[in-house]
Amino acid sequence: MTSWPSRPDVGGDNTYHDSQPAYANVPTSPSPMENLHPPVRSPVPGANGRNSYVPSRLNPNAPATAGPGSRSRPPSWGPQAALEPGRTGVSTSSDNSQSSSLNGKDAQDIRNVMTGAVGSGFGPYANVRGSFAAPPHNRFSTLSSVGSVVSLTTDSKYPSMYFPNSNTPVQGGFFPYSDTPHIDYATNSFTPDEDDALHDPDPRKMNEGMGPMNWRGVLNLSFVLVIVCALVALFAGYPIISYLKHDQIYFAGSNVVGINATGQAAVIPNLPQLIDPETPDQAKTRTGFDGEEYELVFSDEFNTDGRTFYPGDDPFWEGVDIWYGATEDIEWYDPGQITTANGSLVITLEQTPSHGLAYKSGMLQSWNKFCFSGGYVEVSVLFPGDQLAMGFWPAAWTMGNLGRPGFGASTDGTWPYTYNSCDVGTLPNQTTAALTPTAAQTSGKTKTNGVLSYLPGQRVSACTCPGEDHPGPNVNVGRNAPEIDIFEAERSKTGGPGGQTSQSSQYAPFNNAYQYNTAATTLYLPTTYHNTFLGSETQQSISSLTDMDESWFENSANPTYTTYGLEFLGDDKNPANGFINWVAGGQHSWGLTAAAFGPDALTEISQRTVSVEPMAIVMNLGISESFQTVDTSTLTLPAHLRFDYIRVYQRKGQTNVGCDPENYPTAKYINDHIAAYTNANLTFWKDAGFTFPKNSQVCIHRYAMRWI
């Protein structure tokens, strides 16, 4: 137990205070909403019958007057404040005017605050509107000494307090400050602090200005709107304004970098653009051989040196890392053999062993990155070696996106089909179960014993049964991976002095003995000839050969780039309206219409079509005995196939680029069969774990066989 110091005789009657005075039980502090006038217990007298307590601010229950035998000390209101005997008020040392009593409203406000009914009993919430007087009775002060300016109470959380000129006690508050600056004790008037409006305890003022449409709410909402508008302007307005300051190019397509669903291609700095900014303005339009106006929709000038084409390096092109086994090439295609230098794309063929092959070269594809459906594609090219070289196989060509060049499983049953009919032409070997028609068994090559076709049948034909696997748009549409070549160069086969280029298109199913209607073809140059190669058990080919100038080769005395081109347009509603035109050496070399591969009664097939599929572009430099005899004595290595540019045009107002167009989608089908499109070691569709969908013609002919 704490030992309390004895107090000296203050009254001069040789009477001392008890060292530990007794006092009455302290009641529990009332709750804020209880009686605002709790009973005040009388203090316990000392041994001499006198009060043994000294009034203080922090012990306001001490007596307000100093009677006989009692002692007084300055209260804890400040160093200059003093309690005057015989008074019920308190004044400051700077102003000795007596405090006036509070009116009823002020007293009630103070009661509300001090009891916790409104606000709190601390600091600025102790909104006292007058000065205080000590009550005639007090409670024990746990710490008190003569001359002390601090007095603490432990008997009550809210010590009782008296109003000036009043004997009515109210529950008080604990004031941690030595003064209460908002009370003028000289006049007993209330001087509001600057921040009193923020915590005015008057409940009548609590809801002032708090309506749904008050000025403060409108102001808050206005600031919120300003912030929202600023954010929208920063993240939406600025990019739009920046975009509108540049030229706008519109394309109708999808699945192409830089094109949105509405066919708009934004010109955004450091992002790829379909049209190379360095393409000359005069090259952005042309008049087609069909008499129509064409506009540029894609170009690559290859003017930035040092580009690489490994997977993921370029938005439009990718170098493959494969052996092209379909044509039994003797080189390995390596992305590292492709780059840009001196303003040109360069594909290098060199005699460097790779993957068990003697040579290494490159093949660049836009497969599933950039495609176009009909139009005109033009390249500026410089060929490898010289005009006497025999064995190089430089090529630029196009192929439907449903087949990926060099990935045999993806082309199994799709290449080189160009068919949208449901008949025997969709079946394996173009033959029914009854081995009809006869021409399909007898008009082929000698090496196949007359069998016309070794093809497995059109995988996704117009005969696909409902519910079967099909890329769409529905099972009644025949889907294909056709091939149309811009050029393939070789040593002359017609006895000319140097090189020739073959410009061809491939088809399936096949005509009887691969014969096409030559009347539907036109040769425009005296140096262009029909190719005697018509096809084989895997393709029907319609092509012509054009002599080359010796200056078009890199090792000539005056190497000169020349232009080759391909213009084609299919019509899915009327396939007979399709046409193809070729350009060699910058001149219109030859052309054909769809009548060249019309219906054939002998093989019982219908009209083939000029491609309406989204077509990807391929550029490569190969070497293969299957193309022509390889005479290494005529080859200078390393050899280079160079392209100065590639440009794609389409009829004005009929732009259709993208590898996944709505009418001929490919994306989902490719993703659903991704193994066939990414594993070059898979030769057949079944190797990828898939089967051909059911063909309604198979069911019909099998049913018919049961009755034979």
Side-chain angles (χ1 to χ4, degrees):
M1 177 177 293
T2 303
S3 176
W4 297 89
S6 300
R7 301 188 179 186
D9 178 16
V10 177
D13 55 358
N14 296 320
T15 302
Y16 295 90
H17 298 289
D18 295 334
S19 61
Q20 184 174 353
Y23 55 92
N25 293 331
V26 179
T28 302
S29 299
S31 63
M33 300 308 295
E34 289 179 359
N35 190 347
L36 298 180
H37 304 282
V40 179
R41 295 180 182 272
S42 300
V44 178
N48 60 359
R50 296 185 179 92
N51 290 333
S52 58
Y53 310 109
V54 178
S56 70
R57 170 135 184 234
L58 299 181
N59 186 18
N61 292 331
T65 59
S70 66
R71 58 188 179 89
S72 65
R73 64 168 195 172
S76 300
W77 294 68
Q80 301 300 322
L83 181 66
E84 298 181 14
R87 291 188 59 177
T88 59
V90 177
S91 63
T92 63
S93 61
S94 60
D95 191 339
N96 294 324
S97 61
Q98 184 174 352
S99 302
S100 61
S101 62
L102 300 176
N103 58 39
K105 178 180 182 302
D106 290 340
Q108 183 62 40
D109 287 347
I110 293 176
R111 292 188 191 100
N112 290 341
V113 174
M114 295 308 168
T115 59
V118 176
S120 175
F122 297 91
Y125 289 94
N127 196 3
V128 184
R129 302 190 179 185
S131 58
F132 302 102
H137 304 287
N138 66 338
R139 291 185 181 180
F140 177 66
S141 176
T142 59
L143 292 178
S144 180
S145 63
V146 176
S148 172
V149 296
V150 177
S151 180
L152 303 176
T153 63
T154 60
D155 59 338
S156 175
K157 181 178 180 180
Y158 301 102
S160 298
M161 305 187 75
Y162 273 73
F163 296 114
N165 304 317
S166 172
N167 292 326
T168 303
V170 297
Q171 189 174 357
F174 182 87
F175 292 88
Y177 310 108
S178 62
D179 199 358
T180 308
H182 57 286
I183 302 175
D184 186 346
Y185 297 103
T187 62
N188 287 331
S189 62
F190 173 74
T191 302
D193 284 345
E194 293 181 357
D195 62 348
D196 278 352
L198 300 177
H199 30 68
D200 189 343
D202 190 344
R204 294 168 298 181
K205 299 181 181 180
M206 294 298 289
N207 294 324
E208 289 183 5
M210 300 299 287
M213 291 300 294
N214 61 83
W215 67 268
R216 184 163 56 187
V218 172
L219 186 61
N220 290 342
L221 182 59
S222 299
F223 276 112
V224 170
L225 291 177
V226 169
I227 294 173
V228 170
C229 291
L231 292 174
V232 171
L234 177 62
F235 294 105
Y238 175 76
I240 292 174
I241 293 173
S242 177
Y243 163 64
L244 293 176
K245 288 183 178 180
H246 296 80
D247 293 335
Q248 301 180 30
I249 307 169
Y250 298 92
F251 296 94
S254 59
N255 199 33
V256 176
V257 176
I259 294 184
N260 63 18
T262 61
Q264 296 172 314
V267 179
I268 302 176
N270 301 321
L271 288 182
Q273 302 172 35
L274 286 175
I275 295 180
D276 193 323
E278 298 190 26
T279 301
D281 289 339
Q282 62 269 25
K284 292 182 179 179
T285 59
R286 66 178 290 271
T287 300
F289 300 114
D290 57 358
E292 298 288 339
E293 290 298 315
Y294 283 67
E295 57 189 0
L296 188 68
V297 297
F298 173 81
S299 65
D300 197 333
E301 304 297 321
F302 303 116
N303 286 343
T304 301
D305 291 349
R307 288 168 60 180
T308 58
F309 300 95
Y310 287 91
D313 283 358
D314 195 90
F316 305 119
W317 306 105
E318 181 174 315
V320 294
D321 190 13
I322 61 172
W323 171 55
Y324 209 90
T327 51
E328 300 177 351
D329 288 23
I330 58 176
E331 86 290 332
W332 181 271
Y333 284 132
D334 188 323
Q337 299 300 108
I338 312 169
T339 188
T340 53
N342 301 316
S344 297
L345 176 73
V346 182
I347 302 176
T348 301
L349 171 66
E350 59 188 4
Q351 191 170 359
T352 300
S354 180
H355 297 78
L357 300 171
Y359 300 90
K360 184 166 63 173
S361 188
M363 172 182 279
L364 190 65
Q365 302 179 0
S366 73
W367 176 81
N368 217 36
K369 290 175 174 286
F370 170 76
C371 304
F372 67 106
S373 300
Y376 175 70
V377 54
E378 180 179 277
V379 297
S380 176
V381 59
L382 184 64
F383 294 93
D386 56 36
Q387 64 173 346
L388 299 178
M390 179 180 291
F392 294 140
W393 190 358
W397 45 295
T398 65
M399 184 171 172
N401 199 60
L402 272 184
R404 186 178 185 185
F407 292 75
S410 72
T411 58
D412 187 25
T414 58
W415 177 91
Y417 282 94
T418 55
Y419 211 45
N420 192 29
S421 298
C422 181
D423 53 34
V424 70
T426 66
L427 299 178
N429 311 115
Q430 294 180 217
T431 306
T432 68
L435 300 180
T436 59
T438 302
Q441 296 294 312
T442 61
S443 65
K445 300 276 188 176
T446 302
K447 66 178 182 179
T448 62
N449 295 321
V451 175
L452 184 66
S453 172
Y454 276 3
L455 292 180
Q458 188 177 6
R459 187 171 77 224
V460 281
S461 69
C463 300
T464 305
C465 295
E468 292 292 303
D469 191 12
H470 192 281
N474 59 69
V475 296
N476 298 318
V477 177
R479 298 300 303 275
N480 315 280
E483 176 186 341
I484 310 177
D485 299 332
I486 303 170
F487 70 78
E488 294 175 287
E490 60 185 343
R491 178 71 179 269
S492 176
K493 291 181 178 180
T494 60
Q500 286 182 327
T501 49
S502 169
Q503 297 178 297
S504 64
S505 56
Q506 280 64 243
Y507 303 90
F510 311 150
N511 288 94
N512 179 61
Y514 314 110
Q515 291 290 334
Y516 64 93
N517 180 12
T518 58
T521 67
T522 304
L523 304 179
Y524 295 100
L525 295 176
T527 55
T528 299
Y529 322 93
H530 285 298
N531 196 342
T532 58
F533 175 77
L534 302 178
S536 68
E537 66 275 10
T538 58
Q539 64 176 305
Q540 179 175 346
S541 178
I542 303 178
S543 65
S544 289
L545 304 172
T546 301
D547 292 337
M548 302 171 67
D549 189 90
E550 65 172 335
S551 66
W552 300 347
F553 295 88
E554 66 170 335
N555 292 335
S556 67
N558 183 30
T560 305
Y561 283 84
T562 189
T563 56
Y564 278 76
L566 162 67
E567 180 183 284
F568 70 97
L569 189 65
D571 188 337
D572 51 3
K573 296 181 179 178
N574 190 353
N577 290 338
F579 64 86
I580 307 176
N581 288 288
W582 283 269
V583 170
Q587 301 181 75
H588 191 191
S589 55
W590 81 289
L592 58 79
T593 66
F597 36 87
D600 190 317
L602 293 177
T603 56
E604 299 179 8
I605 62 173
S606 304
Q607 172 77 54
R608 274 68 47 85
T609 65
V610 174
S611 176
V612 291
E613 294 280 347
M615 304 289 281
I617 302 171
V618 185
M619 296 174 283
N620 63 284
L621 175 55
I623 181 170
S624 174
E625 292 281 353
S626 69
F627 184 63
Q628 70 173 169
T629 301
V630 177
D631 183 355
T632 57
S633 66
T634 66
L635 305 181
T636 301
L637 296 173
H640 309 90
L641 174 63
R642 292 180 170 89
F643 293 90
D644 182 46
Y645 66 76
I646 182 167
R647 299 167 185 165
V648 179
Y649 302 79
Q650 291 183 322
R651 281 182 175 179
K652 189 174 183 178
Q654 299 181 29
T655 303
N656 186 4
V657 297
C659 296
D660 188 38
E662 181 179 358
N663 291 338
Y664 293 91
T666 66
K668 184 178 185 303
Y669 188 80
I670 291 172
N671 291 333
D672 289 345
H673 308 87
I674 195 63
Y677 291 90
T678 55
N679 189 343
N681 294 321
L682 305 178
T683 304
F684 303 106
W685 190 245
K686 66 180 180 180
D687 295 339
F690 308 112
T691 59
F692 278 33
K694 293 179 181 179
N695 185 310
S696 61
Q697 287 292 306
V698 174
C699 300
I700 292 172
H701 289 290
R702 284 180 178 173
Y703 181 80
M705 284 295 295
R706 295 174 58 186
W707 298 95
I708 296 177

